[in-house]
Amino acid sequence: MEYYYKIQPMRTYLKFQSRNACFLAIFLSPIISGGIALYGEDTNTPPANAAPAGSLVSNGDFSTASNDPSWPDNWSKGAGISWETENGKHFLRLTAQKPDQHLMAYREIAIPPGVKSLVITIRYRTAGIVTGTEKWYDARAIFHFMDDARKTVPTDPPPMSFRTDASDWTVATEQCVVPDGATKLVLMPSLFKVQAGTLDLAEITVTPATP
């Protein structure tokens, strides 16, 4: 499958090499109706706390804190990661602590048997990002597939680069094929070796899709 994306404040280019345009319309319809926009939606308010039906990411909107009232369920704590609230909605904030650090919000997601394709959607914003010594040392999400033994399964989905000037909430999405033997998807939204800056995460969904 060939695809690329580029998110801009007013429009997004999204390309899938699919069978035909009818397939694309059928594929997008349930996702959009579930409250996820694939076209670079920018707003000043984080999304509603209710996660879209069908997402494999529990507490992907960071709204539930039943185990620890100071931290969202299913998300690990770490230096440089804080749980924030804005306009009554919750989100995670990653703040670079020092140059060249890899700071991430790590999750492992179980892939149901028979699922051959996934759509990954992340709603984010950035502030003050100063890229590192390489141009791809930036704000991004990194993904890995693993098997039941937690060994890496090739081939990984391509990283999802986030705009460094996304001052409003912005949606990034990509579709990936699940390789044979993969039973888990590792999600790592990250500040990858940046010099400075913050990355806010308002919602993360992973949804089974038709290849």
Side-chain angles (χ1 to χ4, degrees):
M1 178 176 295
E2 176 188 354
Y3 57 88
Y4 69 87
Y5 67 92
K6 178 181 179 183
I7 299 178
Q8 296 179 343
M10 297 302 297
R11 65 175 185 171
T12 297
Y13 297 93
L14 174 64
K15 173 183 175 184
F16 291 93
Q17 183 172 317
S18 58
R19 294 186 181 90
N20 49 50
C22 181
F23 166 82
L24 183 60
I26 295 172
F27 166 68
L28 291 177
S29 178
I31 298 175
I32 295 175
S33 63
I36 292 297
L38 300 184
Y39 294 98
E41 177 186 357
D42 288 349
T43 70
N44 291 319
T45 304
N49 283 342
S55 176
L56 304 177
V57 184
S58 59
N59 203 24
D61 60 0
F62 314 103
S63 62
T64 303
S66 59
N67 299 318
D68 178 353
S70 67
W71 198 258
D73 294 351
N74 308 124
W75 294 95
S76 298
K77 294 182 179 180
I81 305 177
S82 58
W83 189 38
E84 306 287 342
T85 303
E86 180 180 280
N87 297 327
K89 310 300 182 183
H90 295 288
F91 62 95
L92 280 191
R93 170 166 291 169
L94 281 63
T95 304
Q97 302 294 288
K98 58 183 179 180
D100 302 319
Q101 177 188 23
H102 185 190
L103 180 62
M104 74 182 82
Y106 183 94
R107 281 291 298 271
E108 294 180 11
I109 308 302
I111 302 172
V115 171
K116 299 299 183 182
S117 183
L118 298 168
V119 173
I120 305 168
T121 304
I122 300 178
R123 187 162 181 159
Y124 73 95
R125 68 183 176 188
T126 57
I129 298 292
V130 179
T131 56
T133 54
E134 301 287 345
K135 63 181 180 180
W136 48 277
Y137 290 178
D138 55 11
R140 58 179 46 218
I142 302 168
F143 312 108
H144 295 307
F145 285 114
M146 295 193 305
D147 61 16
D148 283 333
R150 303 190 73 254
K151 293 183 179 179
T152 301
V153 177
T155 303
D156 291 334
M160 178 186 289
S161 293
F162 299 138
R163 282 176 31 210
T164 58
D165 62 345
S167 58
D168 293 328
W169 293 108
T170 304
V171 173
T173 191
E174 69 180 46
Q175 184 172 0
C176 60
V177 173
V178 177
D180 292 340
T183 59
K184 296 181 179 67
L185 174 67
V186 178
L187 302 173
M188 293 182 286
S190 307
L191 289 175
F192 186 72
K193 296 187 176 183
V194 300
Q195 300 300 297
T198 63
L199 168 64
D200 293 343
L201 303 168
E203 187 172 35
I204 300 175
T205 65
V206 176
T207 308
T210 303

